[in-house]
Amino acid sequence: MKVALRKVTSSPLDFEINFNQTVFKGYLQYHRGKLIFLKARLSGFIQIECDVCAQEIDLAVDEQIELFISDGIYEEEHNGVDLDVVESLNSIADLDELLNSEIELIKSDYYSCESCKNKSE
């Protein structure tokens, strides 16, 4: 789902993306300057592999995601923005790509299945 950043106003613009067994649901809202605030929840299941035996695991996820999307290159101005900033160089927020990035970030952690956890104890 792609959203033109010029369509995002101070009224929240709701979105929901269903992908496999996950739901990415939240809103976009104009913050100030070139910044758009994204607040969403990623919930459901992500299929990962055990890092020990490579068995597939359905990992339950329930993550709160908050970040800013900059319409163009973000120039830090000491404006109290403590969240991550994602730059959009074409004035489009690609929510599918953001969802994919969040899933890959979760997958990059170390996971072991119950069988391997029991063997290590």
Side-chain angles (χ1 to χ4, degrees):
M1 169 188 276
K2 295 184 180 187
V3 176
L5 295 178
R6 63 179 158 62
K7 292 186 177 184
V8 179
T9 65
S10 57
S11 297
L13 176 63
D14 296 330
F15 67 86
E16 181 173 340
I17 301 172
N18 294 296
F19 178 72
N20 291 337
Q21 299 177 19
T22 59
V23 177
F24 185 46
K25 182 178 181 177
Y27 65 87
L28 295 165
Q29 186 174 24
Y30 175 75
H31 181 67
R32 71 173 161 224
K34 300 188 299 181
L35 294 178
I36 306 296
F37 179 63
L38 177 140
K39 183 171 184 170
R41 180 173 255 22
L42 176 62
S43 59
F45 293 92
I46 298 173
Q47 199 167 56
I48 60 170
E49 290 182 356
C50 172
D51 288 318
V52 178
C53 70
Q55 176 183 340
E56 289 191 353
I57 307 168
D58 281 334
L59 177 68
V61 293
D62 187 17
E63 300 283 329
Q64 185 75 22
I65 299 166
E66 294 182 353
L67 55 86
F68 286 104
I69 301 171
S70 175
D71 190 2
I73 295 175
Y74 175 67
E75 297 173 13
E76 189 172 346
E77 301 170 359
H78 301 295
N79 55 10
V81 173
D82 292 333
L83 298 176
D84 292 332
V85 177
V86 175
E87 295 176 337
S88 172
L89 301 179
N90 60 359
S91 297
I92 304 270
D94 189 343
L95 300 179
D96 293 320
E97 185 61 34
L98 286 172
L99 168 61
N100 187 49
S101 295
E102 290 297 327
I103 290 173
E104 290 303 317
L105 182 62
I106 292 168
K107 285 181 169 182
S108 70
D109 207 350
Y110 181 86
Y111 298 99
S112 58
C113 66
E114 289 300 318
S115 177
C116 292
K117 282 180 188 176
N118 292 336
K119 287 179 186 175
S120 67
E121 292 176 359

